[in-house]
Coordinates of all heavy atoms in Angstrom, one line a residue:
M1 N 25.6 -7.2 16.4 CA 24.5 -7.7 17.1 C 23.5 -8.4 16.3 O 23.2 -8.1 15.1 CB 23.8 -6.5 17.8 CG 22.5 -6.8 18.6 SD 22.0 -5.4 19.6 CE 23.2 -5.3 21.0
A2 N 22.8 -9.4 16.8 CA 21.9 -10.4 16.0 C 20.6 -9.7 15.8 O 20.3 -8.8 16.6 CB 21.8 -11.7 16.8
L3 N 20.0 -10.0 14.7 CA 18.6 -9.5 14.5 C 17.8 -9.6 15.5 O 16.9 -8.8 15.9 CB 18.2 -10.1 13.2 CG 16.7 -9.7 12.7 CD1 16.7 -8.2 12.5 CD2 16.2 -10.5 11.4
I4 N 17.6 -10.9 16.2 CA 16.6 -11.0 17.2 C 17.0 -10.1 18.4 O 16.1 -9.5 19.0 CB 16.8 -12.4 17.8 CG1 15.5 -12.7 18.8 CG2 18.0 -12.8 18.5 CD1 15.3 -14.1 19.1
D5 N 18.2 -9.6 18.7 CA 18.5 -8.7 19.7 C 18.0 -7.4 19.3 O 17.4 -6.6 20.1 CB 20.1 -8.6 20.0 CG 20.6 -9.9 20.5 OD1 19.9 -10.6 21.4 OD2 21.7 -10.4 20.1
D6 N 18.2 -6.8 18.1 CA 17.7 -5.6 17.5 C 16.1 -5.5 17.7 O 15.5 -4.5 18.1 CB 18.1 -5.3 16.1 CG 19.5 -5.1 16.0 OD1 20.2 -4.8 16.9 OD2 20.0 -5.4 14.8
V7 N 15.5 -6.6 17.3 CA 14.0 -6.7 17.4 C 13.5 -6.7 18.8 O 12.5 -5.9 19.1 CB 13.5 -8.0 16.6 CG1 11.9 -8.1 16.7 CG2 13.9 -7.9 15.1
K8 N 14.2 -7.4 19.7 CA 13.7 -7.4 21.1 C 13.8 -6.0 21.6 O 13.0 -5.5 22.3 CB 14.6 -8.5 21.9 CG 14.3 -9.9 21.7 CD 15.2 -11.0 22.2 CE 15.3 -10.6 23.7 NZ 16.3 -11.7 24.2
R9 N 14.9 -5.4 21.3 CA 15.1 -4.0 21.9 C 14.0 -3.0 21.4 O 13.5 -2.3 22.1 CB 16.5 -3.4 21.5 CG 16.9 -2.3 22.2 CD 18.4 -1.8 22.0 NE 18.7 -1.6 20.6 CZ 19.3 -2.4 19.9 NH1 20.0 -3.4 20.3 NH2 19.6 -2.2 18.5
G10 N 13.7 -3.4 20.1 CA 12.7 -2.4 19.4 C 11.3 -2.7 20.0 O 10.4 -1.9 20.0
L11 N 11.0 -4.0 20.7 CA 9.8 -4.3 21.1 C 9.9 -4.0 22.7 O 8.8 -4.1 23.3 CB 9.5 -5.7 21.0 CG 9.3 -6.2 19.5 CD1 9.3 -7.9 19.5 CD2 8.1 -5.6 18.9
G12 N 10.9 -3.6 23.2 CA 10.9 -3.2 24.6 C 11.3 -4.3 25.5 O 11.0 -4.4 26.6
V13 N 11.8 -5.5 24.9 CA 12.2 -6.7 25.6 C 13.8 -6.6 25.9 O 14.5 -6.7 25.0 CB 11.8 -7.9 24.9 CG1 12.2 -9.2 25.6 CG2 10.4 -8.0 24.5
F14 N 14.0 -6.4 27.1 CA 15.5 -6.3 27.5 C 16.0 -7.4 28.4 O 16.9 -7.2 29.3 CB 15.6 -4.8 28.3 CG 15.3 -3.8 27.3 CD1 14.2 -3.2 27.5 CD2 16.0 -3.3 26.4 CE1 13.7 -2.1 26.8 CE2 15.8 -2.3 25.6 CZ 14.6 -1.5 25.8
Y15 N 15.5 -8.6 28.2 CA 16.0 -9.7 29.0 C 15.8 -10.9 27.9 O 15.3 -10.9 26.8 CB 15.0 -10.1 30.1 CG 13.5 -10.4 29.8 CD1 13.1 -11.6 29.4 CD2 12.6 -9.3 29.5 CE1 11.8 -11.9 29.1 CE2 11.3 -9.6 29.2 CZ 10.9 -10.8 28.9 OH 9.6 -11.0 28.7
S16 N 16.5 -12.0 28.4 CA 16.7 -13.2 27.6 C 15.8 -14.3 28.5 O 16.2 -14.5 29.5 CB 18.0 -13.6 27.3 OG 18.5 -13.0 26.2
E17 N 15.0 -14.9 27.7 CA 14.2 -16.0 28.4 C 13.8 -17.0 27.3 O 13.3 -16.5 26.2 CB 12.9 -15.4 29.0 CG 12.3 -16.5 30.0 CD 11.2 -17.2 29.3 OE1 10.4 -16.6 28.5 OE2 11.0 -18.4 29.5
T18 N 14.0 -18.1 27.4 CA 13.9 -19.2 26.2 C 12.5 -19.0 25.4 O 12.5 -18.9 24.3 CB 14.0 -20.6 26.7 OG1 15.3 -20.6 27.4 CG2 14.0 -21.5 25.6
A19 N 11.5 -19.1 26.2 CA 10.1 -19.0 25.6 C 9.9 -17.5 24.8 O 9.4 -17.5 23.8 CB 9.0 -19.3 26.7
K20 N 10.3 -16.6 25.4 CA 10.1 -15.2 24.9 C 11.0 -15.1 23.5 O 10.7 -14.5 22.6 CB 10.5 -14.1 25.9 CG 10.1 -12.7 25.3 CD 8.6 -12.6 25.2 CE 8.2 -11.2 24.9 NZ 6.8 -11.1 24.8
D21 N 12.3 -15.5 23.6 CA 13.1 -15.6 22.5 C 12.6 -16.3 21.4 O 12.5 -15.9 20.2 CB 14.4 -16.2 22.9 CG 15.2 -15.1 23.7 OD1 14.9 -14.0 24.0 OD2 16.4 -15.5 24.3
A22 N 11.9 -17.5 21.7 CA 11.3 -18.3 20.6 C 10.1 -17.5 20.0 O 9.9 -17.6 18.8 CB 10.8 -19.5 21.3
E23 N 9.3 -16.8 20.9 CA 8.1 -16.1 20.4 C 8.6 -15.0 19.5 O 8.1 -14.8 18.4 CB 7.4 -15.7 21.6 CG 6.2 -14.6 21.2 CD 5.6 -14.0 22.4 OE1 5.8 -14.4 23.5 OE2 4.9 -13.0 22.2
V24 N 9.7 -14.3 19.9 CA 10.1 -13.3 19.0 C 10.8 -13.7 17.7 O 10.5 -13.1 16.6 CB 11.1 -12.3 19.7 CG1 11.9 -11.3 18.9 CG2 10.6 -11.6 21.1
Q25 N 11.5 -14.9 17.8 CA 12.0 -15.4 16.6 C 10.9 -15.9 15.6 O 11.0 -15.7 14.4 CB 12.9 -16.6 17.0 CG 13.7 -17.1 15.7 CD 14.7 -16.2 15.1 OE1 15.4 -15.5 15.8 NE2 14.4 -16.0 13.7
Q26 N 9.9 -16.5 16.2 CA 8.8 -16.8 15.4 C 8.1 -15.6 14.6 O 7.7 -15.8 13.4 CB 7.7 -17.5 16.1 CG 6.5 -18.2 15.3 CD 5.4 -17.1 15.0 OE1 5.2 -16.1 15.7 NE2 4.8 -17.3 13.9
K27 N 8.0 -14.5 15.3 CA 7.6 -13.3 14.6 C 8.5 -12.8 13.7 O 8.0 -12.3 12.6 CB 7.2 -12.2 15.7 CG 6.1 -12.5 16.7 CD 5.5 -11.4 17.5 CE 4.6 -11.8 18.4 NZ 3.5 -12.8 18.1
I28 N 9.8 -12.8 13.9 CA 10.8 -12.4 12.9 C 10.5 -13.3 11.7 O 10.6 -12.7 10.6 CB 12.0 -12.5 13.4 CG1 12.4 -11.5 14.6 CG2 13.1 -12.2 12.2 CD1 13.6 -11.7 15.3
D29 N 10.5 -14.7 11.7 CA 10.4 -15.5 10.7 C 9.1 -15.2 9.9 O 9.1 -15.2 8.7 CB 10.3 -17.0 11.1 CG 11.7 -17.5 11.7 OD1 12.7 -16.7 11.5 OD2 11.7 -18.5 12.4
A30 N 8.0 -15.0 10.6 CA 6.7 -14.6 10.0 C 6.8 -13.2 9.1 O 6.3 -13.1 8.1 CB 5.6 -14.5 11.0
A31 N 7.6 -12.3 9.7 CA 7.7 -11.0 9.1 C 8.5 -11.2 7.8 O 8.1 -10.7 6.8 CB 8.5 -9.9 10.0
K32 N 9.6 -11.9 7.8 CA 10.4 -12.3 6.5 C 9.5 -12.8 5.5 O 9.7 -12.5 4.2 CB 11.5 -13.1 6.9 CG 12.7 -12.4 7.6 CD 13.8 -13.3 8.1 CE 15.0 -12.5 8.6 NZ 16.2 -13.6 8.7
L33 N 8.7 -13.8 5.9 CA 7.9 -14.5 5.0 C 6.8 -13.5 4.3 O 6.5 -13.5 3.3 CB 7.1 -15.7 5.6 CG 8.1 -16.9 5.9 CD1 7.3 -18.0 6.6 CD2 8.5 -17.4 4.5
Y34 N 6.2 -12.7 5.2 CA 5.3 -11.6 5.0 C 5.9 -10.8 3.8 O 5.3 -10.5 2.7 CB 4.9 -10.9 6.1 CG 4.0 -9.6 5.8 CD1 2.6 -9.8 5.7 CD2 4.6 -8.4 5.7 CE1 1.8 -8.7 5.4 CE2 3.7 -7.3 5.5 CZ 2.4 -7.4 5.4 OH 1.6 -6.4 5.0
F35 N 7.1 -10.2 4.1 CA 7.8 -9.3 3.1 C 8.1 -10.0 1.9 O 8.1 -9.6 0.8 CB 8.9 -8.8 3.8 CG 8.6 -7.8 4.9 CD1 9.3 -7.9 6.2 CD2 7.6 -6.7 4.7 CE1 8.9 -7.1 7.2 CE2 7.5 -5.9 5.7 CZ 7.9 -6.0 7.0
K36 N 8.6 -11.4 2.0 CA 9.0 -12.0 0.8 C 7.7 -12.4 -0.1 O 7.9 -12.1 -1.3 CB 9.6 -13.3 1.1 CG 10.2 -14.2 0.0 CD 10.9 -15.4 0.5 CE 11.6 -16.1 -0.7 NZ 12.5 -17.1 -0.4
G37 N 6.7 -12.6 0.5 CA 5.4 -12.7 -0.3 C 5.0 -11.6 -1.0 O 4.2 -11.6 -2.0
A38 N 5.4 -10.3 -0.4 CA 5.0 -9.1 -1.1 C 6.1 -8.6 -2.0 O 5.9 -7.6 -2.5 CB 4.8 -8.1 0.1
G39 N 7.1 -9.4 -2.3 CA 8.1 -9.2 -3.2 C 9.4 -8.4 -2.7 O 10.2 -8.0 -3.5
W40 N 9.6 -8.4 -1.4 CA 10.7 -7.8 -0.8 C 11.5 -8.8 0.1 O 11.0 -9.1 1.1 CB 10.3 -6.6 0.1 CG 11.4 -5.8 0.8 CD1 12.8 -5.9 0.4 CD2 11.3 -5.1 1.9 NE1 13.5 -5.2 1.3 CE2 12.6 -4.6 2.2 CE3 10.4 -4.5 2.7 CZ2 12.9 -3.7 3.2 CZ3 10.6 -3.8 3.8 CH2 11.7 -3.3 4.0
D41 N 12.5 -9.4 -0.5 CA 13.2 -10.4 0.3 C 14.2 -9.7 1.1 O 15.3 -9.1 0.6 CB 13.8 -11.5 -0.8 CG 14.6 -12.5 -0.1 OD1 14.6 -12.7 1.1 OD2 15.2 -13.4 -0.8
V42 N 14.0 -9.7 2.4 CA 15.0 -8.9 3.3 C 16.2 -9.7 3.5 O 17.1 -9.2 4.1 CB 14.2 -8.5 4.6 CG1 13.0 -7.6 4.4 CG2 13.8 -9.7 5.4
G43 N 16.3 -10.9 3.3 CA 17.5 -11.7 3.3 C 17.8 -12.1 4.8 O 17.0 -12.0 5.7
L44 N 18.9 -12.8 4.8 CA 19.3 -13.4 6.0 C 19.8 -12.3 7.0 O 19.6 -12.4 8.3 CB 20.4 -14.4 5.9 CG 20.0 -15.7 5.2 CD1 21.2 -16.6 5.0 CD2 18.9 -16.4 5.9
T45 N 20.5 -11.3 6.6 CA 21.0 -10.2 7.5 C 20.4 -8.8 6.9 O 21.0 -8.2 6.1 CB 22.6 -10.1 7.4 OG1 23.0 -10.0 5.9 CG2 23.2 -11.4 8.1
P46 N 19.3 -8.6 7.3 CA 18.4 -7.2 6.8 C 19.3 -6.0 7.2 O 20.0 -5.8 8.1 CB 17.2 -7.2 7.7 CG 17.0 -8.8 8.0 CD 18.4 -9.2 8.2
D47 N 19.1 -5.1 6.3 CA 19.7 -3.7 6.5 C 18.9 -2.9 7.5 O 18.0 -3.5 8.1 CB 20.0 -2.8 5.2 CG 18.6 -2.8 4.5 OD1 17.5 -2.9 5.2 OD2 18.7 -2.3 3.4
A48 N 19.3 -1.8 7.9 CA 18.5 -1.0 9.0 C 17.1 -0.8 8.6 O 16.3 -0.9 9.5 CB 19.3 0.4 9.1
L49 N 16.9 -0.6 7.4 CA 15.5 -0.2 6.9 C 14.6 -1.5 7.1 O 13.6 -1.6 7.6 CB 15.4 0.3 5.5 CG 13.9 0.6 5.0 CD1 13.4 1.9 5.8 CD2 14.2 1.0 3.5
A50 N 15.2 -2.5 6.6 CA 14.4 -3.9 6.8 C 14.2 -4.3 8.3 O 13.2 -4.8 8.6 CB 15.1 -5.0 6.0
T51 N 15.2 -4.1 9.0 CA 15.1 -4.4 10.5 C 13.9 -3.5 11.0 O 13.2 -4.0 11.9 CB 16.4 -4.0 11.2 OG1 17.5 -4.9 10.7 CG2 16.3 -4.3 12.7
D52 N 13.9 -2.2 10.8 CA 12.9 -1.5 11.3 C 11.4 -1.9 10.8 O 10.6 -1.9 11.5 CB 13.0 0.1 10.8 CG 14.1 0.8 11.6 OD1 14.5 0.2 12.7 OD2 14.4 2.0 11.3
A53 N 11.4 -2.5 9.6 CA 10.2 -3.0 9.0 C 9.8 -4.2 9.7 O 8.6 -4.5 10.1 CB 10.2 -3.1 7.5
I54 N 10.7 -5.0 10.1 CA 10.4 -6.2 10.9 C 10.0 -5.9 12.3 O 9.0 -6.6 12.9 CB 11.7 -7.1 10.9 CG1 12.0 -7.7 9.5 CG2 11.7 -8.2 11.9 CD1 13.3 -8.5 9.3
I55 N 10.7 -5.0 12.8 CA 10.2 -4.5 14.2 C 8.7 -4.0 14.3 O 8.0 -4.3 15.1 CB 11.1 -3.4 14.8 CG1 12.4 -4.0 15.1 CG2 10.5 -2.8 16.1 CD1 13.6 -3.1 15.4
L56 N 8.4 -3.3 13.2 CA 7.0 -2.6 13.1 C 6.1 -3.7 12.8 O 4.9 -3.8 13.4 CB 7.0 -1.7 11.8 CG 5.6 -1.1 11.6 CD1 5.0 -0.4 12.8 CD2 5.7 -0.2 10.4
Y57 N 6.5 -4.8 12.0 CA 5.5 -6.0 11.8 C 5.2 -6.7 13.2 O 4.2 -7.2 13.5 CB 6.2 -6.8 10.8 CG 5.4 -8.2 10.7 CD1 4.4 -8.3 9.6 CD2 5.4 -9.4 11.4 CE1 3.7 -9.4 9.5 CE2 4.8 -10.4 11.3 CZ 3.9 -10.6 10.3 OH 3.1 -11.7 10.2
C58 N 6.5 -6.8 14.0 CA 6.3 -7.7 15.1 C 5.5 -6.8 16.2 O 4.7 -7.4 16.9 CB 7.7 -7.8 15.7 SG 8.7 -9.1 14.8
K59 N 5.6 -5.5 16.1 CA 4.7 -4.8 17.1 C 3.3 -4.9 16.6 O 2.4 -5.0 17.5 CB 5.2 -3.1 17.0 CG 6.3 -2.8 17.7 CD 6.7 -1.4 17.7 CE 7.9 -1.0 18.5 NZ 8.2 0.3 18.5
M60 N 2.9 -4.9 15.4 CA 1.5 -5.0 14.9 C 1.2 -6.5 15.4 O 0.0 -6.6 15.7 CB 1.6 -4.9 13.5 CG 1.7 -3.4 13.0 SD 1.7 -3.1 11.3 CE 0.5 -4.4 10.7
A61 N 1.9 -7.4 15.3 CA 1.6 -8.8 15.5 C 1.3 -8.9 16.9 O 0.5 -10.0 17.4 CB 2.7 -9.8 15.1
Q62 N 1.7 -8.1 18.0 CA 1.4 -8.2 19.3 C 0.0 -7.8 19.7 O -0.6 -8.2 20.7 CB 2.4 -7.3 20.1 CG 3.8 -7.8 20.1 CD 4.6 -6.9 20.9 OE1 4.6 -5.6 20.7 NE2 5.5 -7.5 21.7
S63 N -0.6 -7.1 18.9 CA -2.1 -6.6 19.1 C -3.0 -7.8 19.1 O -3.0 -8.7 18.3 CB -2.4 -5.7 18.0 OG -3.8 -5.2 18.2
T64 N -3.9 -7.7 20.1 CA -5.0 -8.7 20.2 C -6.4 -8.1 19.7 O -7.4 -8.9 19.8 CB -5.1 -9.2 21.5 OG1 -5.4 -8.2 22.4 CG2 -3.9 -9.9 22.1
D65 N -6.3 -6.8 19.3 CA -7.6 -6.2 18.9 C -7.7 -6.6 17.3 O -7.0 -6.1 16.5 CB -7.5 -4.8 19.1 CG -8.8 -4.1 18.5 OD1 -9.7 -4.7 18.2 OD2 -8.7 -2.8 18.6
P66 N -8.7 -7.4 16.9 CA -8.9 -7.7 15.5 C -9.1 -6.5 14.6 O -8.7 -6.6 13.4 CB -10.3 -8.5 15.5 CG -10.5 -8.8 16.8 CD -9.8 -7.9 17.7
A67 N -9.5 -5.4 15.2 CA -9.8 -4.1 14.2 C -8.3 -3.7 13.8 O -8.2 -2.9 12.9 CB -10.6 -3.2 14.9
Q68 N -7.3 -3.9 14.6 CA -5.9 -3.5 14.4 C -5.2 -4.4 13.5 O -4.1 -4.1 13.0 CB -5.2 -3.2 15.7 CG -5.7 -2.4 16.7 CD -5.7 -0.9 16.3 OE1 -4.6 -0.6 15.8 NE2 -6.6 -0.1 16.6
L69 N -5.6 -5.5 13.1 CA -5.1 -6.3 12.3 C -5.2 -6.0 10.7 O -5.9 -6.6 10.0 CB -5.5 -7.8 12.4 CG -5.2 -8.4 13.9 CD1 -5.9 -9.8 14.1 CD2 -3.7 -8.3 14.1
T70 N -4.5 -4.9 10.3 CA -4.6 -4.5 8.9 C -3.2 -4.3 8.4 O -2.2 -4.4 9.2 CB -5.3 -3.1 8.9 OG1 -4.6 -2.2 9.6 CG2 -6.7 -3.2 9.4
N71 N -3.1 -4.2 7.1 CA -1.8 -3.7 6.7 C -1.5 -2.3 6.8 O -2.1 -1.4 6.4 CB -1.8 -4.0 5.0 CG -1.8 -5.5 4.7 OD1 -1.0 -6.3 5.3 ND2 -2.4 -5.9 3.7
H72 N -0.4 -2.1 7.7 CA -0.1 -0.8 8.1 C 0.4 -0.1 6.9 O 1.2 -0.6 6.2 CB 1.0 -1.0 9.3 CG 1.3 0.3 9.9 ND1 2.0 1.3 9.4 CD2 1.1 0.7 11.2 CE1 2.2 2.3 10.3 NE2 1.5 2.0 11.3
P73 N 0.1 1.3 6.8 CA 0.5 2.0 5.6 C 2.0 2.3 5.4 O 2.5 2.2 4.3 CB -0.3 3.4 5.8 CG -0.8 3.4 7.1 CD -0.9 2.0 7.6
V74 N 2.7 2.2 6.6 CA 4.2 2.3 6.6 C 4.7 1.0 6.0 O 5.6 1.1 5.1 CB 4.8 2.6 7.9 CG1 6.3 2.7 7.8 CG2 4.3 4.0 8.4
L75 N 4.2 -0.1 6.5 CA 4.7 -1.4 5.8 C 4.4 -1.3 4.4 O 5.3 -1.9 3.5 CB 4.0 -2.7 6.5 CG 4.6 -3.0 8.0 CD1 3.7 -4.1 8.5 CD2 5.9 -3.1 8.0
V76 N 3.2 -1.0 3.9 CA 2.8 -1.0 2.5 C 3.8 -0.1 1.8 O 4.3 -0.6 0.6 CB 1.4 -0.6 2.3 CG1 1.0 -0.4 0.7 CG2 0.5 -1.5 2.9
S77 N 4.1 1.0 2.2 CA 5.1 1.9 1.6 C 6.5 1.3 1.5 O 7.1 1.3 0.5 CB 5.2 3.3 2.3 OG 6.1 4.1 1.8
L78 N 7.0 0.8 2.6 CA 8.3 0.1 2.7 C 8.4 -0.9 1.7 O 9.5 -1.2 0.8 CB 8.7 -0.4 4.1 CG 9.0 0.8 5.0 CD1 9.0 0.1 6.4 CD2 10.2 1.4 4.6
I79 N 7.3 -1.8 1.5 CA 7.3 -2.9 0.6 C 7.3 -2.4 -0.8 O 8.2 -2.9 -1.6 CB 6.2 -3.9 0.8 CG1 6.2 -4.6 2.0 CG2 5.9 -4.7 -0.4 CD1 5.0 -5.2 2.5
A80 N 6.6 -1.4 -1.1 CA 6.6 -0.7 -2.5 C 8.0 -0.2 -2.9 O 8.3 -0.3 -4.0 CB 5.5 0.3 -2.4
Q81 N 8.6 0.4 -2.1 CA 9.9 1.0 -2.2 C 11.0 0.0 -2.4 O 12.0 0.2 -3.1 CB 10.3 2.0 -1.1 CG 9.4 3.1 -1.0 CD 9.8 4.1 0.1 OE1 10.9 4.2 0.4 NE2 8.8 4.5 0.8
N82 N 10.8 -1.3 -1.8 CA 11.9 -2.2 -1.8 C 11.6 -3.5 -2.5 O 12.5 -4.4 -2.5 CB 12.3 -2.6 -0.3 CG 13.0 -1.3 0.4 OD1 14.0 -1.1 0.1 ND2 12.1 -0.6 1.2
R83 N 10.5 -3.4 -3.3 CA 10.2 -4.7 -4.0 C 11.3 -5.0 -4.9 O 11.8 -4.1 -5.7 CB 8.9 -4.5 -4.6 CG 8.1 -5.6 -4.8 CD 6.7 -5.2 -5.4 NE 5.7 -5.5 -4.4 CZ 4.5 -5.1 -4.5 NH1 4.0 -4.4 -5.6 NH2 3.7 -5.4 -3.6
T84 N 11.6 -6.4 -5.0 CA 12.6 -6.8 -5.9 C 12.0 -7.6 -7.2 O 12.5 -7.9 -8.1 CB 13.7 -7.7 -5.2 OG1 13.1 -8.7 -4.6 CG2 14.4 -7.0 -4.3
V85 N 10.7 -7.8 -6.9 CA 9.9 -8.5 -7.8 C 8.7 -7.5 -8.5 O 8.1 -7.0 -7.8 CB 9.1 -9.7 -7.4 CG1 8.2 -10.4 -8.4 CG2 10.3 -10.8 -6.8
V86 N 8.7 -7.4 -9.8 CA 7.7 -6.5 -10.4 C 6.4 -7.4 -10.4 O 6.4 -8.5 -11.2 CB 8.2 -6.2 -11.7 CG1 7.0 -5.3 -12.4 CG2 9.4 -5.4 -11.7
V87 N 5.4 -7.0 -9.7 CA 4.2 -7.7 -9.5 C 3.3 -7.6 -10.8 O 2.7 -8.5 -11.3 CB 3.4 -7.4 -8.2 CG1 2.2 -8.1 -8.2 CG2 4.4 -7.7 -7.1
D88 N 3.1 -6.3 -11.2 CA 2.1 -6.0 -12.3 C 2.8 -5.6 -13.6 O 2.4 -4.8 -14.2 CB 1.3 -4.8 -11.9 CG 0.4 -5.0 -10.6 OD1 -0.1 -6.1 -10.6 OD2 0.3 -4.2 -9.8
A89 N 3.8 -6.5 -14.0 CA 4.5 -6.2 -15.2 C 3.7 -6.7 -16.4 O 2.9 -7.7 -16.3 CB 5.9 -7.0 -15.2
E90 N 3.7 -5.9 -17.4 CA 3.1 -6.2 -18.6 C 3.8 -7.5 -19.3 O 5.1 -7.4 -19.5 CB 2.8 -5.1 -19.5 CG 1.8 -4.2 -18.9 CD 1.6 -3.0 -20.0 OE1 1.7 -3.2 -21.2 OE2 1.3 -1.9 -19.5
V91 N 3.1 -8.4 -20.0 CA 3.8 -9.4 -20.6 C 4.0 -9.2 -22.0 O 3.3 -8.7 -22.7 CB 3.1 -10.8 -20.4 CG1 3.9 -11.9 -21.1 CG2 2.9 -11.1 -18.9

């Protein structure tokens, strides 16, 4: 099953429609860039943990409440555990 199908199911979207698929794909792309910027490259075919993190990011991105736009503690924890780049390394 494709990543977009897993994410759509995680978001409760059980239909295919061009505009909705494009919206979900944009959120997936944004999630991958978010994680990559934090040091976790989830790759082209994310594993189950990365897929769940992408779904969580997409759920958060659906919120229209500015107070809810924070770094979710679960996302922060997943990034910390899966980081492939050492950010605070001593030189």
Side-chain angles (χ1 to χ4, degrees):
M1 185 170 277
L3 177 60
I4 191 169
D5 296 322
D6 292 336
V7 173
K8 284 171 52 179
R9 192 174 59 249
L11 296 174
V13 178
F14 298 102
Y15 61 91
S16 285
E17 193 268 317
T18 305
K20 189 63 171 180
D21 289 353
E23 176 188 345
V24 172
Q25 186 60 54
Q26 185 276 329
K27 289 189 185 332
I28 291 169
D29 295 342
K32 286 181 174 184
L33 288 173
Y34 173 83
F35 294 127
K36 188 172 185 175
W40 180 19
D41 188 359
V42 297
L44 295 175
T45 53
D47 59 18
L49 184 62
T51 299
D52 282 351
I54 291 169
I55 292 168
L56 180 56
Y57 176 94
C58 292
K59 285 181 177 184
M60 288 177 32
Q62 289 180 317
S63 176
T64 57
D65 182 4
Q68 298 293 323
L69 298 176
T70 62
N71 284 319
H72 194 284
V74 172
L75 286 181
V76 172
S77 175
L78 289 170
I79 290 166
Q81 293 174 37
N82 292 284
R83 207 176 250 168
T84 57
V85 176
V86 178
V87 176
D88 294 323
E90 291 184 32
V91 181

